[in-house]
Structure formats: structure tokens, C-alpha cells
């Protein structure tokens, strides 16, 4: 063991570095900066990826929706919509269909505040509102984990300007937990208040259903109410048997367009397309952050190669002398790798402090979560490996310097 | 101790072959002090490099302490240099970023000695050359003569059986050169075999044996030893 430490030359390498600080210091700072940015960028990417990985609760692979815009005069919207839904439900391969006022993750929808007590000054809990009929649960593909689905008799029509709410609702588990101190089971059967004073009984709990807004901190809080909007614009939400969505999307669009010439069918969109569009900015940001990480790491790697090559060119005679005094090729190579390890270690120590400081600022300014120590550790190890990989080629070049350089050069 | 049998060295660049050494025959006994002289470009440095295992010969046999060097790989030659050979260079070849202590320490670390033994050896040999009080100094803070003394301490610290000196006084004034030469003579008297390349005839004359190299051929000029060892071309 003593012999091993003696051979490692850490002390002389460190003392020699201290006498040529500038180049080493610049590389150490570059490594520190890279670590600071890299770790926080990866952390931001991770947060976005986690957001994107959250389930919407909807059977996204087998669902789609379309817009129905009526332009004909003297049009019976209620009859037309009921006929449309009947026709859609009769198509082989369709599991369920409903009229819906908003689409999860689409970016636009309704929200209301629910209160456990009636009153103007009572604090409520925000929730996204989806108006559906008795096929709403089946059409969305959400899981009812307690209570009962709506019955056909529960469904009522709602004028566009109405402020009246139905007496029943199904709410998401997350909304139940938010309103009833983390115990969602106690929510079933309870009466809550919407629009300050209107009582609504919770008749069922659904496992997960995200709101239309992915950036909202209450994205998991949503409610289904048994209502159908009576207006000249509506959306139908349709679920098909597995694997038949793409086949049925144009079929249903064509059928609706041909059976009634008094309206336009448009925006036929799958839920998967909606998810992709919803997280487009997240994807773009992650791509940019990944590019920044790669570029920074490459610049750092090239910086290490440059400094090592410069150092080796400056010390050719010295390396030849070391070889003449008995250093093997591996010992010369190890010298430069250890030298880089010392510089990189200084860099990652500084970088760790920088990463934590930047994260504290990000947490306090943008309400982000604190940095994971594991991620920081991974960043440190990754940069040490990058340093060793970057210096390995110059170190190999150094190891090939002939011991005869000690006598041949007369510099 | 050192036997060269038909050692040749050629350098081939593009289509031109340069024969630096041709069929060298030489035997050096333990305790010899051999000076090597010759005009510039005669092959002195090549000869020294091959003797010191810094280069390999193109052909021939080279035995050092009975071991056939031509059969050793790079790692084996490094080990042999570290264990049996000490080097003194014209330009001292001290490492400028290391203090005197660390400079003398360089070959000892490659030997894998313990810290206490290395310290003991470093202090002893720096004391021997009169520089024990300056072991924390950098080479740049010393005169040329002092630097060469440090280089000698470094060469001796590994207790080599064979000391190779390449123009050891070449960068020194005459007074310093005499001092270094006296030191080398003392070292030789203590039993270390020395092979010294020099341009200076007066210094060469102080060696026990004088070898002359010209156009890659070796010849012995004088031998103060009782027995003749050289077989060379005149």
C-alpha cells in the first residue's frame, strides 16, 4: 500500500500544479461551470420528463374527439346531438361516445371552486369541470374507484349562459384528497358547494383525470358533472376498441358530415396528438437543455485535451527525463491522468457548490423542487469520467515520448 | 559488467539510411571510468543512449550485468534503467516545477520505496553534494553547477551500479566543471562504474579509459587499467 501511494506521485503533481496555476485553474473553473449548469439542466429536464410521464387518466391510445359547429338556421341542437351520439355508438368498434365541454391537456376548459361549506368567504379548492353524459366515464376510459356512474336520468341540458349546476358530481381522487385532508374515501356521499352556495353531492370517485392545463399545480383535480351543453358548438369524445382508433376517425368524421349538412365537422384529433401538443414546449426545452449539456461537456472535454496537449508539448523534455529515470509508459500516462483528476476534483468541488447555489436560487425564484443529491453525485462522477476520457489520448501521446528525448533535445 | 557485441544503429528516414553506430565491440568492467570523445555527429549520443537503454540498437547483442538487454521490452528496460543506471545530463534535466527534494525523489518513487526510505536517501545525497540546506528551493534558484550537483544526487539516490554522464560539464564554467569532475571521480572511487561523454580532452584524460568514436566506429585511445578490454576498430 505504501509503495502504491509512493508511486502515485500525488504530492509532487499537486505541488507542480500549484506552480502553474492559471491553465489548471481555468479548466477547473470550466468543469465547475459545466457541473453547475449540467446538473441543474438535467434536473429541469427530469422535472419536465416526470410531468410528461404523468398519466392523464384517459385511455389515450384509443380515444379521439372532434368539433361540431352548427351554422344552419332553425336548428334543433339537442335532437341533432342525441342523434349524432346514437349514430356514433352504433358504429362497430366504438366503445362509447359522449358530448364534452373540454378536453384534458388541451389547454382550454372550465374550472370552478368547490367548498366543503357554503358561503361567500369560504376558501375553496379549484377543479377542472367536465360536462358529460352517462357514457362519459366509458368514453374517457377513466376508472371509477368508488360510488356510481351517472344514470341517463341524471343528465340535464345546460344553456350556454346558465350558472345552474347539477346536484351530483364525480370527482377525482386528487380533488377528494385536497378537500378532505388526504382521505379521499370520506368524500363519497358528501355534499360540497359550487359557486359558493349550490350543493353538489359526490356520488363517485374516479382514480385519475387530468385538467386541461398541464402547468397548473392542481392538474390532477377534476370533476365530472352530468350535463350536456346546449349550444351551436360542441365536442364529441369517442373511445374505440383497442387498435381501431385511426381506422374509425375518418369514418366517423365522414358519417357526421354526410348525415347533416347544416354543420361543420372539424378538428378531428386523437388524445395522443393532444398530449404531444400539450407538451411541445416541454419537449423543445428538454432538447435545448440537452444540447446545452452536450455542447458544454464537449467544450470542457476539448479544453482538457487542449490543456493537456499544451502541457505535454511544453514538458516533452521533462517526460523524456522521467522515462530515462525509470518511468514506464504506464507511469507517464498515469501522471497526466492523475494530474487531470486533481484538476477535475477541484472543478467538481467548486461545481457542487455552484450547482447547489444555483438550485437554491431556482427553488426560491421559480418554486422548483430542491436538487437531488443522487443527481449531483451522478454529475460529479460523469464529469470526472469525461475528464479522464478527455485526457487519456494526450496521456497516451505523452507515454509514447522516447526516453532518448532526455539527451537528444538541447532546449 | 557491460558488454556490447556487434552493436549497430541505423536511422532510416524516407529512402536514406544513416549508420550512427557500426558493429561496436566493447566491454566495461565494474569500477571503470570510461570517457567517450569524438567529433560532433560521430555517434557519441547514440552510443550513450544505447548504453543507457534510452534507445534500442538495430542489431547486435548488449549484456548489462549479464542480462541480455535486446530481449527486454519497454517496461523491462524502464525497470532496468531505474534499478541499475543513473543519468547525468548536459542540461541537468531537473524538473523546473519541483523543488530539489521532489526532483531527487522522482526515480525513487518509480522504484516504489517507502516514504521514510526515500526521505533518508534524498537527504543523504543532497547533503553529499552540499545542497541539503536548499532542498525546498526550485532549480531556477540555483546556479548551473549547483543544478548539476542536484542531478548527480538524483542519479546516485537510486544507488546505481552504472552512471552515464552526457557532457556533464558542458554547460558549466571551468571552475564548476572541475568541481563536478572531482565529484564524479569520488563517485567512481566509491565503486560506481561511469561512462562519460565529453568534448573536453582534459576531462577525458582524467578517466581511466578513453574511447574515441568516429563515423560510428569505436576505438580505445588509452587504458590506465592493467588489463585491456577493448576490441575496436581504429
Amino acid at each position: 500500500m505504501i509503495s502504491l501511494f509512493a508511486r502515485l506521485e500525488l504530492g509532487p503533481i499537486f505541488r507542480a500544479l500549484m506552480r502553474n496555476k492559471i491553465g489548471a485553474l481555468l479548466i477547473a473553473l470550466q468543469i465547475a461551470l459545466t457541473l453547475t449548469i449540467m446538473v441543474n439542466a438535467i434536473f429541469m429536464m427530469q422535472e419536465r420528463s416526470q410531468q410528461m410521464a404523468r398519466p392523464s387518466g384517459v385511455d389515450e391510445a384509443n380515444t379521439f374527439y372532434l368539433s361540431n359547429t352548427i351554422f344552419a338556421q332553425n336548428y334543433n341542437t339537442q335532437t341533432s346531438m342525441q342523434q349524432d351520439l346514437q349514430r356514433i355508438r352504433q358504429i362497430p368498434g366504438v366503445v362509447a361516445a359522449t358530448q364534452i365541454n373540454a378536453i384534458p391537456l388541451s389547454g382550454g376548459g372550465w374550472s370552478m371552486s368547490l367548498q366543503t361549506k357554503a358561503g361567500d368567504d369560504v376558501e375553496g379548492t379549484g377543479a377542472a369541470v367536465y360536462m358529460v353524459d352517462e357514457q362519459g366515464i366509458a368514453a374517457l376510459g377513466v376508472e371509477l374507484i368508488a360510488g356510481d356512474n351517472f344514470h341517463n336520468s341524471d343528465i340535464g341540458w345546460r344553456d350556454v349562459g346558465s350558472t345552474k349546476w347539477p346536484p351530483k358530481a364525480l370527482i377525482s381522487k386528487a380533488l377528494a384528497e385536497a378537500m378532505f385532508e388526504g382521505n379521499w374515501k370520506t368524500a363519497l356521499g358528501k355534499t360540497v358547494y359550487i359557486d359558493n352556495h349550490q350543493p353538489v353531492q359526490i356520488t363517485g370517485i374516479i382514480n385519475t383525470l387530468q385538467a386541461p392545463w398541464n402547468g397548473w399545480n392542481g392538474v390532477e383535480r377534476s370533476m365530472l358533472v352530468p350535463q350536456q351543453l346546449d349550444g351551436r358548438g360542441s365536442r364529441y369524445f369517442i373511445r374505440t376498441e383497442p387498435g381501431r382508433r385511426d381506422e374509425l376517425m375518418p369514418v366517423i368524421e365522414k358519417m357526421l358530415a354526410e348525415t347533416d349538412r347544416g354543420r361543420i365537422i372539424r378538428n378531428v384529433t386523437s388524445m395522443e396528438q393532444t398530449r404531444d401538443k400539450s407538451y411541445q414546449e416541454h419537449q423543445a426545452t428538454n432538447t435545448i437543455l440537452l444540447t446545452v449539456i452536450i455542447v458544454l461537456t464537449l467544450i470542457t472535454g476539448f479544453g482538457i485535451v487542449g490543456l493537456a496537449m499544451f502541457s505535454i508539448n511544453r514538458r516533452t523534455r521533462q517526460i523524456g527525463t522521467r522515462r530515462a529515470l525509470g518511468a514506464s509508459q504506464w507511469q507517464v500516462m498515469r501522471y497526466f491522468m492523475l494530474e487531470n483528476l486533481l484538476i477535475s476534483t477541484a472543478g467538481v468541488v467548486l461545481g457542487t457548490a455552484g450547482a447547489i447555489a444555483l438550485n437554491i436560487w431556482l427553488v426560491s425564484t421559480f418554486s422548483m423542487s430542491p436538487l437531488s443529491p443522487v443527481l449531483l453525485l451522478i454529475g460529479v462522477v460523469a464529469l470526472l469520467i469525461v475528464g479522464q476520457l478527455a485526457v487519456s489520448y494526450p496521456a497516451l501521446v505523452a507515454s509514447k515520448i522516447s526516453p532518448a528525448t532526455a539527451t537528444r533535445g538541447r532546449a | 559488467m557491460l558488454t556490447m557485441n556487434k552493436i549497430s544503429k541505423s536511422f532510416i528516414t524516407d529512402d536514406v539510411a544513416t549508420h550512427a553506430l557500426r558493429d561496436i565491440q566493447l566491454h566495461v568492467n565494474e569500477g571503470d571510468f570510461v570517457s567517450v570523445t569524438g567529433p560532433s555527429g560521430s555517434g557519441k549520443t547514440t552510443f550513450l543512449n544505447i548504453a543507457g537503454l534510452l534507445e534500442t540498437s538495430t542489431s547486435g547483442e548488449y549484456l548489462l550485468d549479464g542480462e541480455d538487454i535486446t530481449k527486454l521490452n519497454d517496461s523491462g528496460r524502464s525497470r532496468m534503467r531505474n534499478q541499475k543506471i543513473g543519468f547525468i545530463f548536459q542540461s541537468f534535466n531537473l524538473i523546473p516545477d519541483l523543488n530539489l527534494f521532489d526532483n531527487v525523489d522522482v526515480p525513487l518513487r518509480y522504484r516504489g520505496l517507502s516514504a521514510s526510505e526515500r526521505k533518508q536517501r534524498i537527504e543523504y545525497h543532497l547533503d553529499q553534494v552540499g545542497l541539503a540546506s536548499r532542498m525546498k528551493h526550485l532549480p531556477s534558484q540555483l546556479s548551473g553547477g549547483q543544478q548539476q550537483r542536484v542531478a548527480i544526487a538524483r542519479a546516485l539516490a537510486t544507488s546505481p551500479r552504472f552512471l552515464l554522464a552526457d557532457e556533464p560539464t558542458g554547460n558549466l564554467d571551468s571552475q564548476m566543471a572541475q568541481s563536478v569532475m572531482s565529484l564524479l571521480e569520488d563517485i567512481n572511487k566509491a565503486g560506481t562504474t561511469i561512462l562519460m561523454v565529453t568534448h573536453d580532452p582534459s576531462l577525458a584524460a582524467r578517466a581511466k579509459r578513453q574511447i574515441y568514436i568516429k563515423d560510428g566506429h569505436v576505438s580505445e585511445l588509452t587504458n590506465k587499467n592493467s588489463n585491456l578490454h577493448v576490441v575496436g576498430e581504429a
Side-chain angles (χ1 to χ4, degrees):
Chain A
M1 188 59 81
I2 290 168
S3 157
L4 175 70
F5 281 114
R7 285 177 194 168
L8 284 181
E9 298 183 86
L10 282 172
I13 292 172
F14 180 74
R15 290 192 284 279
L17 274 176
M18 287 296 98
R19 295 196 179 95
N20 292 286
K21 292 187 199 79
I22 299 299
L25 190 65
L26 286 175
I27 290 294
L29 285 176
Q30 196 175 341
I31 291 168
L33 189 66
T34 304
L35 182 68
T36 301
I37 294 171
M38 184 179 86
V39 169
N40 280 285
I42 291 174
F43 182 62
M44 288 161 78
M45 285 171 67
Q46 264 189 339
E47 282 213 323
R48 276 170 177 72
S49 297
Q50 281 165 4
Q51 281 180 16
M52 288 191 281
R54 293 174 307 195
S56 65
V58 177
D59 178 11
E60 293 176 21
N62 303 302
T63 49
F64 71 98
Y65 57 92
L66 49 84
S67 297
N68 173 30
T69 308
I70 297 156
F71 62 84
Q73 298 301 312
N74 302 320
Y75 197 92
N76 188 328
T77 51
Q78 292 184 9
T79 307
S80 169
M81 273 185 253
Q82 282 172 334
Q83 286 174 349
D84 282 346
L85 287 171
Q86 274 176 10
R87 286 191 194 106
I88 294 168
R89 287 164 184 168
Q90 283 166 3
I91 294 174
V94 170
V95 174
T98 187
Q99 197 225 139
I100 198 164
N101 65 318
I103 306 297
L105 299 178
S106 64
W110 294 35
S111 74
M112 290 298 289
S113 179
L114 290 184
Q115 301 161 201
T116 51
K117 288 176 187 168
D120 291 332
D121 300 325
V122 178
E123 200 173 324
T125 306
V129 179
Y130 295 106
M131 297 169 187
V132 294
D133 61 18
E134 73 280 7
Q135 285 211 3
I137 283 184
L140 289 162
V142 293
E143 183 190 1
L144 184 70
I145 54 173
D148 295 317
N149 188 10
F150 300 132
H151 299 289
N152 182 262
S153 56
D154 296 327
I155 315 301
W157 288 97
R158 178 191 179 109
D159 293 332
V160 174
S162 171
T163 55
K164 280 278 293 173
W165 291 92
K168 285 183 176 181
L170 308 177
I171 67 170
S172 67
K173 191 172 145 188
L175 177 57
E177 284 172 343
M179 293 184 75
F180 296 95
E181 295 171 345
N183 191 353
W184 62 270
K185 287 179 182 167
T186 60
L188 191 64
K190 292 270 170 43
T191 297
V192 294
Y193 298 88
I194 191 165
D195 205 9
N196 296 337
H197 297 282
Q198 295 184 48
V200 177
Q201 190 186 21
I202 298 166
T203 57
I205 312 285
I206 50 177
N207 193 17
T208 306
L209 178 58
Q210 286 191 326
W213 315 281
N214 71 44
W216 181 38
N217 60 9
V219 67
E220 309 291 340
R221 298 200 300 263
S222 57
M223 63 189 289
L224 299 179
V225 293
Q227 270 189 333
Q228 296 282 267
L229 267 179
D230 183 7
R232 297 178 75 82
S234 59
R235 285 197 193 97
Y236 299 149
F237 198 93
I238 301 148
R239 183 167 167 224
T240 68
E241 290 171 358
R244 299 197 63 183
R245 182 197 63 193
D246 294 345
E247 166 205 342
L248 290 174
M249 281 169 74
V251 171
I252 291 170
E253 182 185 13
K254 191 178 172 199
M255 181 273 289
L256 291 173
E258 285 176 352
T259 52
D260 188 340
R261 302 286 183 186
R263 45 89 180 280
I264 301 169
I265 302 298
R266 59 197 175 96
N267 298 336
V268 184
T269 312
S270 71
M271 263 310 290
E272 285 179 334
Q273 288 171 315
T274 302
R275 167 177 281 276
D276 288 346
K277 198 176 169 192
S278 178
Y279 288 113
Q280 220 167 19
E281 270 186 39
H282 282 56
Q283 292 279 17
T285 308
N286 274 6
T287 306
I288 291 167
L289 288 174
L290 183 65
T291 308
V292 167
I293 291 167
I294 291 170
V295 168
L296 260 179
T297 308
L298 282 176
I299 289 172
T300 304
F302 287 134
I304 291 168
V305 171
L307 177 74
M309 289 304 285
F310 172 74
S311 168
I312 287 160
N313 286 334
R314 192 174 61 86
R315 292 189 276 182
T316 302
R317 181 73 172 276
Q318 186 188 124
I319 295 162
T321 302
R322 285 179 180 275
R323 293 277 284 127
L325 296 176
S328 64
Q329 289 186 335
W330 161 238
Q331 282 167 328
V332 170
M333 203 169 162
R334 191 180 60 193
Y335 180 96
F336 286 95
M337 297 187 83
L338 280 172
E339 185 181 70
N340 172 269
L341 191 63
L342 286 179
I343 295 170
S344 298
T345 302
V348 295
V349 167
L350 282 174
T352 300
I356 292 169
L358 178 61
N359 186 249
I360 289 170
W361 181 75
L362 288 172
V363 168
S364 63
T365 311
F366 300 108
S367 303
M368 284 174 61
S369 319
L371 190 62
S372 151
V374 175
L375 181 63
L376 195 55
L377 186 67
I378 291 170
V380 165
V381 172
L383 272 181
L384 290 178
I385 291 172
V386 166
Q388 289 295 286
L389 287 176
V391 82
S392 58
Y393 172 69
L396 188 67
V397 170
S399 75
K400 301 288 182 197
I401 290 172
S402 165
T405 313
T407 55
R408 293 280 182 205
R410 297 292 186 199
Chain B
M1 167 163 201
L2 179 157
T3 303
M4 288 183 175
N5 187 22
K6 291 196 170 182
I7 288 287
S8 295
K9 178 73 177 179
S10 304
F11 296 101
I12 298 169
T13 50
D14 297 329
D15 296 331
V16 183
T18 307
H19 301 285
L21 295 176
R22 299 167 190 264
D23 293 336
I24 302 287
Q25 294 283 124
L26 179 68
H27 181 80
V28 176
N29 270 342
E30 188 140 17
D32 268 354
F33 190 153
V34 183
S35 67
V36 181
T37 55
S40 292
S42 59
K44 295 191 301 295
T45 300
T46 304
F47 169 74
L48 190 84
N49 283 349
I50 289 172
L53 317 188
L54 302 180
E55 285 180 43
T56 52
S57 59
T58 310
S59 63
E61 183 186 51
Y62 175 22
L63 300 175
L64 184 63
D65 251 3
E67 192 159 359
D68 188 354
I69 299 305
T70 50
K71 288 180 179 159
L72 291 178
N73 60 14
D74 186 85
S75 177
R77 288 196 299 275
S78 296
R79 194 177 57 252
M80 189 73 108
R81 281 196 298 272
N82 183 253
Q83 290 176 350
K84 296 197 172 170
I85 305 172
F87 288 94
I88 300 167
F89 303 100
Q90 180 181 4
S91 303
F92 325 130
N93 289 22
L94 297 176
I95 294 167
D97 300 328
L98 300 180
N99 63 30
L100 306 194
F101 186 96
D102 285 338
N103 260 290
V104 179
D105 196 20
V106 169
L108 299 178
R109 282 182 182 268
Y110 298 137
R111 179 76 68 88
L113 301 176
S114 69
S116 59
E117 188 174 352
R118 286 187 285 118
K119 184 170 183 285
Q120 194 181 3
R121 286 188 184 218
I122 295 162
E123 287 173 353
Y124 173 76
H125 287 286
L126 279 175
D127 185 50
Q128 256 202 329
V129 296
L131 289 165
S133 61
R134 308 190 71 174
M135 60 177 75
K136 295 295 173 195
H137 284 63
L138 290 173
S140 58
Q141 295 170 305
L142 304 181
S143 69
Q146 287 171 323
Q147 287 188 47
Q148 194 60 298
R149 283 174 175 274
V150 176
I152 292 169
R154 180 178 66 184
L156 294 177
T158 54
S159 310
R161 300 191 57 203
F162 186 35
L163 196 61
L164 288 177
D166 181 21
E167 303 272 10
T169 60
N171 281 346
L172 304 177
D173 61 37
S174 57
Q175 195 181 346
M176 287 289 185
Q178 291 303 325
S179 162
V180 166
M181 191 61 199
S182 299
L183 190 57
L184 289 178
E185 284 170 335
D186 290 344
I187 292 163
N188 176 244
K189 277 176 195 161
T192 306
T193 309
I194 297 177
L195 193 64
M196 177 183 72
V197 168
T198 181
H199 270 110
D200 188 333
S202 65
L203 293 178
R206 287 168 66 171
K208 292 174 186 168
R209 292 171 60 189
Q210 288 185 62
I211 284 174
Y212 185 75
I213 298 182
K214 189 178 179 187
D215 298 332
H217 296 285
V218 165
S219 58
E220 181 137 2
L221 298 179
T222 61
N223 190 333
K224 296 173 187 172
N225 294 330
S226 54
N227 52 336
L228 270 172
H229 309 290
V230 160
V231 184
E233 292 181 46

